[in-house]
Amino acid sequence: VFLFNQRSVDEILSMILTLASIVDAQEKGRQLVASLEERLTEIRVAASRFPRRPKVYFEEWDEPMISGIRWVSELIEIAGGEDVFSDQSRSQAASGRIVSDPAEVVRRNPEVMLASWCGKKFRPEQVKARPGWRAIAAVKRDQLFEIKSAEILQPGPAALTDGVRRIHALLSDFVSIR
């Protein structure tokens, strides 16, 4: 039995190489990692052309409110955003990423909200109804978006391809309308 517990983009890439080695497919693993790194670099370069980095709040769960895990925070940064809860993203446990005071999101005033409620459908109307949240730029401008859990909440290739591309596309749209 081999257990992986990758929490960052680098750890995801390392896990792919380790798994490839275990199944005697080192070259395929290196090729996959090189391809993923190349795509991430392309997105990072495209994001560097943004006139500014929009502030982003990623919500992994709504009750209690849980902000994004480390690899999600890193992908937001790669895609051109600034994760407003990056300070909490390094917590290994979800309990360390609980936003205990919803007013803290209001204070950090994200311009874009991304959500993936771990398999539960995201409900923007519930977010808009939270006390005081109408003051948040993302809510005012209706910049509330769902990213499917399979694309972002599993620490593997899908997050490094589909997930980061989706984040980048949303942030590209945001900066182009400003």
Side-chain angles (χ1 to χ4, degrees):
V1 174
F2 202 101
L3 177 65
F4 294 100
N5 191 21
Q6 61 276 13
R7 296 290 191 221
S8 70
V9 171
D10 284 343
E11 289 173 1
I12 293 169
L13 296 170
S14 180
M15 178 277 303
I16 292 169
L17 293 174
T18 301
L19 181 59
S21 181
I22 289 170
V23 299
D24 198 27
Q26 292 92 329
E27 185 55 31
K28 285 183 180 180
R30 282 191 291 274
Q31 289 172 3
L32 176 58
V33 167
S35 172
L36 293 169
E37 287 175 327
E38 184 178 326
R39 288 185 198 140
L40 292 172
T41 297
E42 288 170 3
I43 290 171
R44 189 179 282 114
V45 167
S48 73
R49 296 185 192 109
F50 288 178
R52 63 185 186 77
R53 301 176 71 78
K55 294 183 342 182
V56 178
Y57 169 53
F58 184 92
E59 191 171 274
E60 187 176 309
W61 193 247
D62 62 328
E63 293 178 11
M65 291 170 27
I66 300 175
S67 61
I69 195 162
R70 183 175 172 185
W71 75 81
V72 173
S73 181
E74 291 173 348
L75 292 176
I76 288 168
E77 298 286 330
I78 289 168
E82 175 191 332
D83 178 9
V84 297
F85 281 98
S86 65
D87 56 315
Q88 291 186 183
S89 71
R90 291 185 179 265
S91 173
Q92 291 285 348
S95 61
R97 293 181 283 110
I98 290 175
V99 179
S100 56
D101 181 4
E104 186 58 30
V105 180
V106 177
R107 282 189 286 282
R108 296 185 189 203
N109 195 26
E111 299 165 279
V112 176
M113 178 181 176
L114 306 175
S116 187
W117 288 350
C118 212
K120 181 170 98 172
K121 183 159 178 47
F122 173 58
R123 302 279 185 211
E125 66 277 4
Q126 291 177 357
V127 170
K128 293 175 185 179
R130 292 175 180 170
W133 279 47
R134 291 202 180 273
I136 297 173
V139 174
K140 285 182 197 175
R141 297 183 185 126
D142 203 29
Q143 296 296 299
L144 311 172
F145 305 100
E146 179 176 31
I147 298 181
K148 300 291 183 195
S149 299
E151 293 180 350
I152 196 69
L153 290 184
Q154 297 177 25
L160 304 185
T161 56
D162 300 339
V164 71
R165 276 196 306 262
R166 174 98 166 104
I167 294 168
H168 180 70
L170 291 166
L171 297 180
S172 293
D173 290 346
F174 177 81
V175 296
S176 71
I177 61 173
R178 296 293 153 238

